[in-house]
Structure formats: structure tokens, C-alpha cells
Amino acid sequence: MPFRPGEEHESLRHRIRELSEKHFKPRAAHHDETGEFPAANVRILAEGGFIGMNLPEEYGGAGLDMLSHAICVEEIARCCATTAVIFEVHNTLHSETIVKFGTEEQKRRYVPALASGEKLGAFCLTEPEAGSDAGGLKSVARLDGDHYVIDGQKRFITNGEVADLYLIMALTDPAKGTRGITCFVVEKGTPGLSFGKPEDKMGIRGSSTTDVFMDKVKVPVGNRLGAEGEGFKIAMAALDAGRIGIGAQALGIAQAAYEASVAYAKERVQFGKPIAELQAIQWMIADMATDIAAARLLLYRAAELYDQPGRHTAEIAMAKLKCAEVAMHHTVKAVQIHGGNGYMREYGVERLMRDAKITEIYEGTSEVMRLIIAGSALR
């Protein structure tokens, strides 16, 4: 299987890199400092045709493959990790999930607005007592005539209060455990739907991360995604797509750290010569280059497998695990290469280090990825 992107993919990379360098990179530190949601960046991505790029053309998308999406997330994250996760969650976890599991009426109703960027999506699975244990949900949905009534709380929701549409997982039959989870499309403004305060995060600070509260939220039966009890299956399929995106985000962060380290090593003079001539620095740069190349191959393989028949959860977990750990390890090394300057916000690598950490946690921790991989290997 060829893992080198073709001409069309590289052309796409050039376009998104140019856009990201021009619009996102200069403002990345501002969004980190202030926590301001980068609404202008989302609008620019929509105007460029990148929002909804992975959605079918018949619903207003560009019909591009998962590798195209991964390349775009990677290049956006190389300039602004905050913008990358907003883009990723909207495109895959939310919008693609509606395309894959929605009825034709649901797709016609929601996807065109999602593909154009008119509406922003969020994915609501995590709860205060259901993190890595995604099956431990407490939110419930009770059928009442032609509506479901949802009560509960979701935690750490990306795009939180800024989204327009929410995919919410809730128990319709608590006695069945994961087989009793059902997925619903809930529109902002629905009575009883409210939001917590924006979280004060270590990294990706410009993305809106909030709790989502449901207090007797009435949702029409027509807003149920899939059949009753299919919510866990829907969530796990969505997470396969999401993990490719988060792997790409991590890869972009690592690439930015590598490029900053190479540039700094060439210009920083110590002991009468650039530190790039010191073997200790050379070895860190060599390890960065090698690990990033290996992570990229795993990620691109996972992206290509995603568009082929069957489930490829283990291969996707490998890619997400490797990319996240490479990002964390080498952003720390980037700070070390920069020395005292690396600890200062002016140079930006400390922000990369803070942004990298979350990639080892969300969309499945590194420990959960290892469980998935081991489960496949030992089956």
C-alpha cells in the first residue's frame, strides 16, 4: 500500500499550509493568551472550502478522502492547534457521523449547513463519571410520545457553547449498559440545554471547552440518530475518525516544534559556534526527524485504511498513540534545545508543549490506545 500522498494531496497541502501560515499562525499566540475563540479562522476555513471537505458533494461537501482531511488538520495544527481541533471535531466526530448514520431526511436537514460552515457541530460523549469508561454514562433519555426527554451532564465538550448542533449520547435503557445508549441530534436553543463556564485549560486555550447540561430537554423522535441502543456503536465509529484527526493534530504540533528547533539551532551561538554543530543537539534533531517521519507513515496508513471496508480500530489506535507521544516527547525536547528562551512565551515552543499534552488524553488516552492495540494483537 503506498503511503506517500499523491499530487492532488500535495496540492491540497500547499493550499492549506499557505492559508494557515497567512491567517492562523500570526494569531495563535493571541488565542492562547486570551482564550478567545478563533471565529475568524473558522470562517476562513469555510470560505476556502475546507469545512465539510470530507462530506459528500450531494450535501454540499467536497467529497475528499480521510487522508486529505488528515493532511489539512496536520497543516492547521502546525500553525494553530486550537483551530485544528475545532475543525477536526466539526468535520469528523460531528458532521461525518450524521452522514454515516443519519436518515436521508436528517442528512438533507443538517449536513448542508454543516458543510458550508453556517453551523458548527459538537460531539457529546464524556461525562463526569464516564471518561475512558465511555460506557459508564449516566445521562438518560426517556421516550414520551413523539419526543424523547433528556436529562444529564456532558463534560469537556469541544466547541461547547459555540456550537449550533450537538450529538448527545444518552441511555434509553439503563439496564442494557452500552447496548442501551442512543444518539440524538440536539439543536442549540432547545429549552433545557445549557452550558457551563469555559474551562481554563493548559493548552488549546482558544477552543471552547465547556460542560453541556440537559434538563428535561425535549427532542423529537426524528432527531434520534440510528436506532435505539445503537449509540455506543455510533460513538465508537466516530472515535475512529476522530482519532485520525487528533493524531494529525499531534503530528502538526510535532512538526512545528521540529522546524522551530532546527531554525533556532542554526542561529543560536554558544562556545563560539551555532549549537547545531554540537552533537547533543544534532542527536535530538535526528530523533525528532525520525520519529515524526515514522508517526506520519502510521497516520497516513490509518487514514487510507479508514476509507476501505471493515473496521481498522487497532491501526488507527497505533497511529493516534504514536503521533501523540511523539508530539509530547519532542515538544519537550524543543524547549530543551531553546534553553532558557524555550521557557519564555515569546519563542512559542512552550505553547507547543502545552498544546501537545492533550493529544495523549482526548479521543482516547494513550493507555486506552494500548488496550485496543493489545486486545487486537492478543485476540
Side-chain angles (χ1 to χ4, degrees), residues 46 51-53 55 59-61 90 95 110-119:
I51 294 287
M53 60 184 292
L55 305 178
Y59 304 114
H90 173 83
S95 304
Y110 292 121
V111 177
L114 293 165
S116 69
E118 178 189 341
K119 293 188 182 297

Side-chain angles (χ1 to χ4, degrees), residues 154-198:
K154 296 298 177 178
R155 189 91 173 101
F156 302 143
I157 302 305
T158 299
N159 296 340
E161 63 181 351
V162 301
D164 302 286
L165 295 170
Y166 299 82
L167 292 185
I168 294 179
M169 308 295 162
L171 288 162
T172 46
D173 190 345
K176 291 184 178 179
T178 57
R179 290 184 174 85
I181 296 172
T182 302
C183 181
F184 301 91
V185 183
V186 181
E187 300 179 16
K188 193 173 196 174
T190 302
L193 186 71
S194 63
F195 311 97
K197 64 177 181 59

Side-chain angles (χ1 to χ4, degrees), residues 39-59:
N41 293 358
V42 176
R43 185 173 64 252
I44 288 165
L45 286 166
E47 290 169 353
F50 295 102
I51 294 287
M53 60 184 292
N54 54 317
L55 305 178
E57 292 181 74
E58 63 186 297
Y59 304 114

